[in-house]
Amino acid sequence: ILNNCFDLCKKYERIFSTNNKKSELYKINHSSNKLEAQELSNDLYKVIKQGLYYSDLSKGSFDITIGSISSLWDFKKHTLPEDTLIQQHLHDVSYKNIVLENHKIRFLNTETMIDLGAIAKGYIADQIKNYLLKENVKSALINLGGNILCVGQKNNNPFSIGITDPQNTNHSILSLNINNLSIVTSGTYQRYIEINSKKYHNILNPSTGYCYDNDLSSVTIVSKSSLQGDALSTVCFALGKEKGLALLNSIKNVSGCFIDDYNQISYSKNFKK
């Protein structure tokens, strides 16, 4: 069963990866006839559709067409992308450049690129959970790095899940008791580079091409679906604390907490439950 879970990860990597030249998304992003409708697999269609929904929900503060900008950032190298390239590609970022219908996709701009990095992991976690439940697994913990999804309980007790302290990443700032739910964190401390004492993290603002600078260190979402949690953690980070909390408070059965740069924690109204 565990081996099959790893095989599922590999299968989805071959669908959603932006960098693997053999992946379905890579081929669609780099197709020579992007202006014409291309067939999508069921998985890719579903995730792009959800990505467009959350792009629209955030009015573009979160945008799955950030690909031409995100591809310029390499967080393994300690160099910034050239600003001229960022400015040049900002015009290509708009989820409205994507037309999705009848399981087909069409681009309105040949330079527009889709990046599902903020949503695909959640979908994969959900699919692994579905598979485990089909195999009658009663208790499991799925951890895809920033995405935790609990199956059932742990020995008749809730799973105890720690939320990382952004100021001291070896420690937890909160501990949550979770049954059968997803918990996803988007934070500035996971992938970043520091240049001239300034930190550049990987949650990018589609309107500037640079990372969001809104005094937030992390946003954690607790939800039933890991895809929903994955998308909302980035959407709420992008919207900032006030608008992000207002959005969370308007969605049923979802809760979250925001940790700012001073380690002050703000909770949505359902979080304490």
Side-chain angles (χ1 to χ4, degrees):
I1 287 173
L2 270 178
N3 284 336
N4 289 341
C5 289
F6 286 114
D7 287 344
L8 278 174
C9 287
K10 286 175 193 158
K11 170 192 160 180
Y12 291 121
E13 172 76 7
R14 288 192 295 271
I15 296 172
F16 301 125
S17 172
T18 43
N19 306 321
N20 182 338
K21 292 185 179 178
K22 292 180 179 173
S23 86
E24 185 185 356
L25 180 61
Y26 186 94
K27 287 173 183 170
I28 280 162
N29 272 337
H30 296 86
S31 163
S32 55
N33 59 344
K34 288 169 77 170
L35 302 179
E36 291 166 35
Q38 301 177 75
E39 281 283 349
L40 293 175
S41 70
N42 202 30
D43 292 301
L44 189 55
Y45 174 78
K46 278 191 212 163
V47 174
I48 291 176
K49 189 175 181 182
Q50 286 291 310
L52 292 175
Y53 168 78
Y54 286 104
S55 300
D56 190 51
L57 183 70
S58 72
K59 298 184 170 60
S61 300
F62 162 87
D63 195 318
I64 58 165
T65 63
I66 192 84
S68 58
I69 298 288
S70 58
S71 62
L72 300 173
W73 288 86
D74 185 345
F75 291 92
K76 289 174 188 153
K77 290 181 183 167
H78 281 267
T79 52
L80 294 178
E82 282 181 41
D83 185 61
T84 48
L85 282 176
I86 288 178
Q87 301 311 319
Q88 186 183 319
H89 282 292
L90 279 179
H91 308 292
D92 307 320
V93 179
S94 172
Y95 66 95
K96 291 177 179 172
N97 287 335
I98 303 290
V99 179
L100 208 59
E101 52 197 7
N102 304 325
H103 270 70
K104 290 181 179 175
I105 188 169
R106 186 162 57 84
F107 290 77
L108 301 180
N109 174 341
T110 55
E111 298 300 312
T112 295
M113 299 269 182
I114 293 173
D115 182 338
L116 298 172
I119 193 167
K121 251 199 297 191
Y123 180 79
I124 296 167
D126 287 334
Q127 299 312 304
I128 293 172
K129 181 171 181 175
N130 290 343
Y131 164 72
L132 290 173
L133 291 172
K134 273 184 204 152
E135 295 292 332
N136 291 317
V137 171
K138 298 284 188 284
S139 175
L141 187 69
I142 301 160
N143 180 358
L144 299 183
N147 286 57
I148 302 271
L149 185 55
C150 303
V151 181
Q153 292 182 299
K154 183 180 182 179
N155 305 328
N156 298 321
N157 293 311
F159 285 97
S160 180
I161 308 296
I163 296 177
T164 301
D165 179 345
Q167 307 290 341
N168 185 354
T169 53
N170 294 324
H171 291 84
S172 298
I173 197 167
L174 284 176
S175 179
L176 309 184
N177 293 325
I178 300 286
N179 285 331
N180 226 17
L181 290 172
S182 157
I183 178 161
V184 182
T185 298
S186 288
T188 61
Y189 52 84
Q190 285 157 327
R191 284 173 64 212
Y192 66 91
I193 48 178
E194 211 165 303
I195 292 170
N196 299 330
S197 303
K198 184 165 168 55
K199 193 168 159 183
Y200 297 88
H201 58 80
N202 70 324
I203 305 173
L204 300 175
N205 182 341
S207 59
T208 66
Y210 288 89
C211 59
Y212 274 102
D213 185 6
N214 57 11
D215 298 329
L216 283 176
S217 288
S218 74
V219 174
T220 297
I221 304 290
V222 181
S223 57
K224 190 86 179 147
S225 147
S226 196
L227 181 146
Q228 184 185 31
D230 208 0
L232 283 176
S233 67
T234 313
V235 164
C236 291
F237 191 102
L239 289 173
K241 189 170 76 178
E242 282 176 29
K243 287 182 181 171
L245 277 171
L247 175 66
L248 272 193
N249 288 334
S250 73
I251 302 173
K252 278 184 184 170
N253 302 322
V254 172
S255 59
C257 71
F258 294 63
I259 304 175
D260 69 18
D261 291 341
Y262 307 99
N263 261 17
Q264 298 298 305
I265 308 173
S266 305
Y267 305 95
S268 74
K269 62 186 179 192
N270 294 328
F271 190 84
K272 290 287 167 73
K273 288 181 198 168

